[in-house]
Structure formats: C-alpha cells, structure tokens
Amino acid sequence: MRISSPPFKNPCFYGIDTPDRKELIGAQKSVEEIRKAINADSLHFLTKDGLIDSIGKLANEADGGHCTACFDNVYPTPVPDDEAAAAAASCACD
Ligand code: SF4
C-alpha cells in the first residue's frame, strides 16, 4: 500500500475535524506497526519533503507556504497551550 501523504500525526486546529493524537494511528504506531495492523504486504508514506516538492512551495513560507502541522507538529500560529501540551505529551512521532 502506498499513501500519498506523510503519516497524519497531529490534530488540526484550523478546521479539519481530526481526532486528538490518541485516536490517530500515525501518532500511536510506527509505519511497521501500521502495516501489521492493516495486514498489508508493504506500506510506504510520502515524505513531508516529497509532498512539499510536489507542490513547489516551502512549508510555512512567509508569503503563502503551506501548513504541515499535522505531519510535523510545527503549527504556523499559536495553538491553545493546554491542547498543545497534551498533544505533545501523547505524541509518538519523531
Ligand atoms: S496541514 Fe495544517 S491546516 Fe491542513 S489539516 Fe494539517 S494541520 Fe490542518
């Protein structure tokens, strides 16, 4: 199985209805653990760099770059401290 996105590891605070990290398999399991959980022969995700290269802009570029927070936990605006702290505490991402 090939996924055309990096693993979704962090909640979105900007309008996409995503669960918190404890409900995101990308935050809770390694790629190999996910592969086993979905019973796939192999599993690969697009890298964040590959995603950014494919759309031709840098992440968080000042003049209109793209948010990548759900992949890398780098939010372009402040997010609520308690939610961010809780999210960081439960993050299994690197
Ligand atoms: S890239 Fe940013 S705005 Fe888009 S879903 Fe992820 S966290 Fe939300």
Side-chain angles (χ1 to χ4, degrees):
M1 175 172 280
R2 302 297 180 262
I3 309 296
S4 58
S5 163
F8 204 109
K9 298 182 174 184
N10 306 290
C12 178
F13 294 97
Y14 307 117
I16 304 299
D17 186 15
T18 52
D20 62 33
R21 285 193 179 98
K22 62 181 179 287
E23 298 178 74
L24 293 171
I25 195 170
Q28 298 300 318
K29 293 184 182 296
S30 69
V31 172
E32 177 59 14
E33 290 169 333
I34 296 170
R35 183 197 67 75
K36 288 178 182 172
I38 64 173
N39 198 29
D41 295 329
S42 66
L43 174 64
H44 292 278
F45 289 84
L46 185 64
T47 64
K48 187 185 87 173
D49 288 344
L51 174 67
I52 296 302
D53 285 350
S54 73
I55 55 178
K57 284 200 170 218
L58 299 176
N60 301 319
E61 209 171 49
D63 66 345
H66 298 277
C67 173
T68 55
C70 52
F71 309 129
D72 61 11
N73 200 31
V74 177
Y75 291 91
T77 64
V79 294
D81 288 342
D82 55 338
E83 292 175 81
S90 66
C91 181
C93 56
D94 43 351

